[in-house]
Each structure stands twice: as C-alpha cells, then as structure tokens.
Amino acid sequence: MNPIFRDFFNDIKPIKMREQLVGISGAFRTEDDVLEYSFADTVKMAGHVCPTVSGAYVSCQKALEKLYPDEIPVRGDIAVTVYGAPDDGVYGVIGQVFSFVTGAAPNTGFKGLGTRFKRKDLLKFKDERIDPSAMCFEFRRLDNKKAVLVKFYSHKIPYPREKEARIGELIQKVVWDGATGAEKKEFQELWTDKVKTIVLDNKDIDKWMKVESVIQ
Amino acid sequence: MAIRTVDVRGLEHSEREMLIFPGIEELKPGDMFRLVVEFNPIPLVFMLKAREEFDLKFEKEGPEEWILNVNRIEKSKANDSTKKEYLKKLLQELKKGSVSEKTKEQVREFLSTVDAKTLGIVEQELIKEGVSYEEIRTNLCEIHLDMLRDSLAANRIEVQSPHPVHTFMEEHKVILKSLEELGRLAKRLKKAGSFKDVGDDVEKLKEISHHLVDAESHHQREEDCLFTRLEKHGVVEPPAIMKMDHEEFRKRKHALYKLAHHHGDYKFEEYKKQAIEYGEYLEKELTNHIFKEDNIIYQICLQVFSPEEWAEVKKECDRIGYCCFSPAEMETHTLDLRAIPPFQRHHKIFEMWDGLKKGGSFTIINDHDPKPLCYQFEAEYKNQYDWKYEQEGPKDWMVTIKKTG
Ligand SMILES: [Fe+2]
Ligand SMILES: [Fe+2]
C-alpha cells in the first residue's frame, strides 16, 4: 500500500516486466527478475498525473498484454515507435512513459554491454500520421518480431462536456495560484475523475483505444 | 594597406566572437578586415554602423557566403585613461538607479568611441567596487539596443497578416491596452484608503491579471520560435535580454495574479502596496519591452530569417497555440484539397483541425461535395464544430469548418 498516493492508485493494475539487465547486474536478492511498474511509479517519473500520462500507461499495458499473451514481457526487448514528432504536443511525454515501462530508450539511452542489452534507439519518433484522428504507437518484440499498433483516440474518452469546460475554467487559477481552497479541490476531483475513467475504469475502452496486430 | 581575412564559417558563436571582435578592434586606420560568413551578418553590420568608426562594404552577398570589408575611419582619438575615468563616472551614475536621458545620451556617445578592451577593464574595476555584473550589463545593453534601434528604423520592414510578426504585433496592441488599464488602476488605488474606496477595481484587477497571464503564450512563442532562431543566427545578446525580461514579468504577473485573486487574505494597505508595486513595474517595463520588440527584435528577425524559416516559425507558433485575444484571422486558413492527392486529403484536414484552437476556423476547397467529411465530423466531434458551405458547386465546393467547442 502506498501511503502517499490516493487510494485508487492501489487499484490500478501494475505492469509486470522481466528485467534481466538489473538482474545480472546483481541488484536482486534471488534469481527472480520480475519488477512491477505501477501507475504511481509512472506518475513519479512524469512528475504529474494527467490524461496523457494515463493514456500512455494504458496504451503500454494493452499493447504488452497482446504481445505477450501468456508470459511476462521482457524489458529492453521491445522496440517502440511513436507516430509523432517528439516536440509536437504530448508525444514527448508519451514517449517518456513508454521508455520508463518498456526500457526502450531514445538515442541518449544505454549503449549495451558489448553487443547485448542495448537500449539506445529502441524508442523512435516518426513524424507521420497513420490515422488522422488517433495517436498511434507501435510496440515490437525483438525476439519474435511480432508487433502491435495502438490507436489512441483521446477525444473519444467518455467525459462530460460540462466537466471538461469546468476544468478549462479552473486550470489557470490553479496553475497561477489564484484558486481558492474549494476551487483547487474541485479541480483536483475533476482532474482525477478523468484520470480514473482512463486508467482504472478503462470506461468504454473499445471506443477510444484499438490494439491491432501488425501483419508484415 | 594590410588586409586580414577571417573566415568564421562553421564556427560556434563564441568562437566567432573571439575572432571577429578583437580583429575589428585592433584594426588600424588604412587597414582592412575581411570577414567571411555563411549567412548575412546583419546584426553585426548594424552594430558596427552605429559606432560610426567603420566603413563597411560587401564584397560578396550570398547566397553561399557573405564577405564583408571593414575599414576604420580615421578619427582623432581621445586619450585612453581619460576615457576610462569618464566612463567610470558615467557608469557610477547608472549605478545610482534612475538613468536620466542625459546620462543615457552621454553613455551612448561615449560607447561609440571607446573600444571593447577599455570597456572590459573599466567593467572589471567597477565590479571590484561592488557594482554587480548584471547591473552593468543591463544598463549598457539598454543603450546598445537604443543604438541598434536607430539604425534599424531606417530599414524598417512591414508585414501583413498572417505573417507571425504581424500576429505578435497585434497581440502587443492588446497587451498594451491591459497595461494602460493597469496603470490607471494603480493610480486610482493610490488615492484609496480602504477596499470600499476601490469598488469594482478589485474585480478589474483580477481580470487584468487574467489577461496578462493569458499572454504568456505570446512570450512562450517568442522564446521558442523567434529567440532560439536568432541565437542560431549569431544574434545572442538581444534575445537573451528579452528572455530575462520575460522571467521578471512572469514573477510579477504571478504575484499580481495571486494578490488579485486572494485579496480577501490581505490587509488593505498591504494589498494596495503590492498592487501598485507590481502594477507600476509591469506597466512601465512591459511597455518598454514591447517597444523594443516591435522596433528592434522583430526587425532583426525580419532581416535575418529566410522565408523557409518563417514557414517553420508559423508552424511552431500554431502548435503552441495563441492567446484568447490573438487576432482572429490568425486561425483562418485555406486548404485547397484539389491540389492534394486524394489519399492525403483526410490527413491534411485533420492535421489542420487538430492544430486549431477554440474559435478558429479553416476553409476547404474541393472538386466535389465533401459531404462524407461532414458525417465524420458529426460522428467524432459532435457539438464541437460548425460547418458552413461558402460555395456549393457546380465545379468547386468551399466549406468553412469552425471549432466551436
Ligand atoms: Fe517578449
Ligand atoms: Fe512580445
């Protein structure tokens, strides 16, 4: 149980990853090399919680479930392509989440030990739109070359327009310290409500996320 | 006549400065300094022209390289140590805080005769005496900028909508209005003795501070799209000063916003004091800042950026988004689908749509009725768009799509 984060964080399913590199470098007590990457961990890495970080976490989770149906995914053995420029909108932040969970690093990443365990350049950004109304990400296993394409239709997440509008009204006040205690609370409730819809309830997920096998 | 050629192509900005400035300072009357660069060195030309000590001529003007010939004009030079003493006196006056026009004029005149080395030595001495580096920097730079402005005014370039500079300047007009209001409000506040005397101004201050905070995207676009590019062109100092200004404004805006929204937490005297302090600072300094941008920074940009760069600037600005008061025509684009291969049309339309902020619109031109597209908007963006036929056949169709939600 995490004493700092709010209760619902504990109900969000963590992503299990086999992390051989940490294992062989001697950090673990036993041979078991499975690590959990929880949503709380992701929020710690990102420094904030928001619909984007939540959407990225779910994208990752669903992609890995499809890529590794009966096994634990292997961290560092997955290449990820983000279809968008790293400095365009939220693609950069999304890439960070993918990197954190899957171990796929951009060109600043770990170069490897000899020719093994290379993480560098496993995360790539491609400035091209596959689907005009979705953000698209490809996850590819390096061992068997199987790949899935995640299509994330962020505007289709079911969330009442009045609430969305209210968030719009409150956000400047909150960010620039002009909100009253009640307004701050209201904002936080609305904000986490949306996050919960995405990352905990996966509400109507078929409408806003598609995970397709990539046929080559 | 001795000729010295310095080729700085491909060098880092600091390396360039190390080669160019000492080379030019050491130039003796009658000798020539030949500078080879890979882009038009406009800022340098202005800087040197303003000093009125050099004769400048282009030997070659692009497109791959620019060769500038610099000759020193003969001039009777005053004794170096007298200069030192004189400048020291002037800087000490600057140090006192309020800089009179007269002092400024004297420094300006003086800077055009003193060389960088002497200036450096005097600066060192002043720092030893307790003047901060930043103080000297700001005061001297201020005057350098003034000098630049004078020479830029002669070659002023004007632009029309939807050029990014046009947008920036239109936004300035709106910001200036808020600042004027803020100034007037501060004046009224000075006469007030209690919250009761202030009346509507409590709400008014909230509103003004909201507008000033909303203008942050303007400053962000300047920093990300203009200033970083200027630096790449070797124009480093002016955008660095502007960026420092932004930081100072941001601090005060934040404080003013907090104060305005939590006025109930303050005793009136404290509220009054802070509101006047931040209000007067912002009114004076931000107005000044805007003047410098309109007349110097944007002009330098217009003279050094290529058309391709302006296209990039526009794209990046669209990505960052505008203030709620940015000129409306900013968001009116036309997309001629007839010129785009069918398989790319969809992508282009939604790229345009995604880049639109609330209230913005674009017009598509097509060679058939784009009805199916209308259905897609209805399915995916219900209540968030407005569809208006401007022309319905028989040959071409024109539709304006507006983002309403
Ligand atoms: Fe600015
Ligand atoms: Fe500006």
Side-chain angles (χ1 to χ4, degrees):
Chain A
M1 288 289 124
N2 195 315
I4 295 171
F5 287 98
R6 294 175 58 166
D7 287 347
F8 79 87
F9 275 74
N10 296 319
D11 302 329
I12 301 165
K13 210 169 109 196
I15 302 175
K16 281 189 181 164
M17 300 294 288
R18 207 169 277 292
E19 185 34 292
Q20 295 167 317
L21 185 52
V22 182
I24 66 157
S25 59
F28 299 146
R29 284 170 195 274
T30 64
E31 290 292 298
D32 185 16
D33 54 7
V34 176
L35 286 178
E36 281 191 352
Y37 290 78
S38 69
F39 186 61
D41 293 334
T42 309
V43 171
K44 275 193 225 167
M45 183 280 301
H48 69 292
V49 57
C50 69
T52 300
V53 169
S54 311
Y57 185 81
V58 176
S59 299
C60 222
Q61 198 163 40
K62 300 296 167 197
L64 295 177
E65 278 170 14
K66 191 157 175 121
L67 264 187
Y68 295 85
D70 303 306
E71 14 170 2
I72 295 171
V74 180
R75 199 165 184 270
D77 208 25
I78 302 152
V80 182
T81 305
V82 174
Y83 288 96
D87 59 345
D88 184 4
V90 294
Y91 287 114
V93 174
I94 289 175
Q96 271 188 307
V97 173
F98 293 166
S99 190
F100 175 68
V101 177
T102 68
N107 62 0
T108 50
F110 182 54
K111 288 196 182 76
L113 296 170
T115 50
R116 295 203 65 205
F117 303 116
K118 186 184 137 200
R119 303 260 160 118
K120 183 181 182 298
D121 295 325
L122 290 182
L123 175 73
K124 286 201 173 113
F125 291 87
K126 237 190 214 170
D127 194 2
E128 91 187 47
R129 270 323 256 285
I130 298 180
D131 183 324
S133 51
M135 291 192 266
C136 297
F137 323 112
E138 190 198 82
F139 293 74
R140 183 177 294 272
R141 282 175 69 152
L142 297 179
D143 57 343
N144 64 12
K145 306 281 181 264
K146 280 198 176 126
V148 293
L149 184 72
V150 178
K151 292 181 174 175
F152 177 34
Y153 302 83
S154 57
H155 56 276
K156 291 187 186 168
I157 293 164
Y159 194 67
R161 287 186 58 73
E162 321 80 73
K163 287 190 178 181
E164 199 77 77
R166 187 69 187 136
I167 287 178
E169 278 167 31
L170 290 169
I171 196 160
Q172 186 189 67
K173 280 192 187 173
V174 172
V175 171
W176 288 78
D177 297 322
T180 61
E183 283 172 329
K184 218 179 193 171
K185 193 98 199 110
E186 185 190 353
F187 172 81
Q188 289 168 348
E189 283 311 316
L190 289 167
W191 192 253
T192 44
D193 198 28
K194 187 161 184 189
V195 166
K196 263 196 247 173
T197 307
I198 301 169
V199 82
L200 180 64
D201 308 335
N202 290 174
K203 195 174 168 199
D204 298 337
I205 190 166
D206 298 340
K207 290 200 183 115
W208 50 270
M209 191 171 287
K210 288 197 181 105
V211 186
E212 300 165 355
S213 296
V214 176
I215 302 147
Q216 20 212 318
Chain B
M1 178 176 88
I3 299 176
R4 186 174 163 215
T5 301
V6 171
D7 186 347
V8 296
R9 282 175 296 178
L11 297 181
E12 290 285 325
H13 177 72
S14 57
E15 293 172 320
R16 284 170 196 256
E17 285 200 325
M18 298 273 283
L19 285 172
I20 297 171
F21 290 109
I24 289 177
E25 295 306 340
E26 284 160 14
L27 194 61
K28 291 197 184 69
D31 291 350
M32 189 207 280
F33 183 85
R34 276 178 86 242
L35 177 67
V36 187
V37 262
E38 69 272 59
F39 50 78
N40 194 348
I42 290 173
L44 178 72
V45 171
F46 278 116
M47 205 82 92
L48 294 176
K49 262 192 196 159
R51 283 176 54 174
E52 294 176 342
E53 287 172 70
F54 304 102
D55 198 19
L56 304 168
K57 221 178 272 145
F58 274 108
E59 183 183 317
K60 189 172 176 212
E61 286 189 85
E64 257 93 55
E65 55 181 27
W66 276 256
I67 304 176
L68 179 67
N69 293 344
V70 185
N71 289 289
R72 189 182 283 280
I73 303 166
E74 295 256 15
K75 210 176 183 183
S76 63
K77 282 176 117 195
N79 181 300
D80 259 12
S81 61
T82 355
K83 277 185 178 177
K84 214 182 289 176
E85 283 312 307
Y86 186 54
L87 183 60
K88 215 161 124 184
K89 218 182 81 206
L90 287 176
L91 279 172
Q92 258 152 3
E93 226 168 294
L94 291 178
K95 182 186 151 188
K96 278 184 218 150
S98 64
V99 185
S100 70
E101 265 315 305
K102 201 175 142 239
T103 313
K104 265 193 187 175
E105 192 48 51
Q106 283 173 324
V107 176
R108 192 175 305 151
E109 224 181 277
F110 202 72
L111 281 174
S112 66
T113 61
V114 77
D115 61 65
K117 212 169 106 198
T118 314
L119 200 61
I121 294 167
V122 179
E123 279 181 9
Q124 281 303 310
E125 284 176 17
L126 283 172
I127 287 167
K128 266 188 220 151
E129 287 167 25
V131 186
S132 80
Y133 179 66
E134 213 185 287
E135 242 175 292
I136 296 175
R137 259 320 224 230
T138 332
N139 286 322
L140 283 182
C141 286
E142 185 98 348
I143 290 150
H144 264 152
L145 280 177
D146 277 355
M147 289 164 66
L148 250 179
R149 185 188 57 212
D150 295 342
S151 39
L152 280 165
N155 301 305
R156 209 182 155 78
I157 299 174
E158 305 285 349
V159 285
Q160 298 304 318
S161 164
H163 195 290
V165 166
H166 180 268
T167 310
F168 279 124
M169 291 178 71
E170 288 299 307
E171 288 171 339
H172 277 171
K173 288 182 194 162
V174 182
I175 299 171
L176 286 173
K177 269 206 192 108
S178 293
L179 291 173
E180 274 169 33
E181 262 183 78
L182 182 60
R184 282 198 296 270
L185 193 147
K187 238 180 230 148
R188 288 197 294 272
L189 203 52
K190 277 185 178 165
K191 292 184 202 136
S194 72
F195 275 116
K196 249 174 50 205
D197 300 340
V198 180
D200 291 345
D201 277 352
V202 171
E203 285 306 309
K204 185 123 214 162
L205 190 62
K206 270 195 199 172
E207 213 178 283
I208 295 172
S209 69
H210 157 73
H211 283 302
L212 291 176
V213 163
D214 189 46
E216 278 299 298
S217 102
H218 167 92
H219 306 303
Q220 190 194 344
R221 268 177 281 127
E222 286 176 334
E223 290 180 12
D224 294 358
C225 310
L226 300 183
F227 298 173
T228 39
R229 266 199 187 74
L230 276 179
E231 281 160 24
K232 278 188 208 142
H233 280 277
V235 186
V236 177
E237 201 103 304
I241 299 168
M242 294 296 108
K243 231 161 145 173
M244 246 155 50
D245 279 358
H246 288 178
E247 278 307 320
E248 294 302 318
F249 301 147
R250 212 162 277 149
K251 272 188 245 161
R252 265 88 172 185
K253 281 184 190 183
H254 189 185
L256 188 70
Y257 191 90
K258 266 194 337 207
L259 180 77
H261 285 80
H262 298 292
H263 57 90
D265 298 349
Y266 295 82
K267 287 207 177 79
F268 179 72
E269 281 310 314
E270 189 53 33
Y271 174 85
K272 177 177 167 176
K273 193 183 136 235
Q274 289 194 25
I276 292 172
E277 184 190 326
Y278 303 136
E280 286 186 336
Y281 181 93
L282 285 168
E283 194 223 0
K284 181 164 165 264
E285 300 300 331
L286 186 49
T287 303
N288 212 336
H289 175 91
I290 287 174
F291 184 82
K292 282 182 217 157
E293 286 180 338
D294 282 349
N295 294 291
I296 303 170
I297 304 290
Y298 296 166
Q299 285 297 317
I300 297 180
C301 292
L302 286 168
Q303 299 190 21
V304 298
F305 293 177
S306 68
E308 292 75 36
E309 280 178 297
W310 281 117
E312 278 170 36
V313 169
K314 175 81 177 67
K315 215 172 122 190
E316 287 170 19
C317 284
D318 288 347
R319 269 184 190 173
I320 294 173
Y322 297 86
C323 315
C324 66
F325 54 75
S326 307
E329 73 263 29
M330 220 20 250
E331 294 280 356
T332 317
H333 311 278
T334 303
L335 186 60
D336 190 348
L337 296 171
R338 297 167 306 181
I340 301 169
F343 65 92
Q344 280 180 9
R345 290 180 184 176
H346 230 71
H347 166 65
K348 287 276 175 214
I349 292 165
F350 283 95
E351 197 177 61
M352 206 96 164
W353 171 259
D354 288 339
L356 225 52
K357 68 163 190 155
K358 199 173 147 184
S361 63
F362 65 99
T363 303
I364 52 170
I365 308 174
N366 206 6
D367 47 17
H368 59 267
D369 188 351
K371 194 103 216 162
L373 183 67
C374 183
Y375 287 123
Q376 185 172 356
F377 270 100
E378 188 55 27
E380 289 180 5
Y381 300 102
K382 202 173 164 65
N383 299 328
Q384 296 172 53
Y385 78 102
D386 187 43
W387 180 276
K388 188 172 144 226
Y389 279 103
E390 308 281 354
Q391 187 189 321
E392 290 188 76
K395 214 171 131 269
D396 294 320
W397 277 256
M398 269 172 80
V399 178
T400 298
I401 302 166
K402 188 175 173 188
K403 199 177 248 183
T404 55

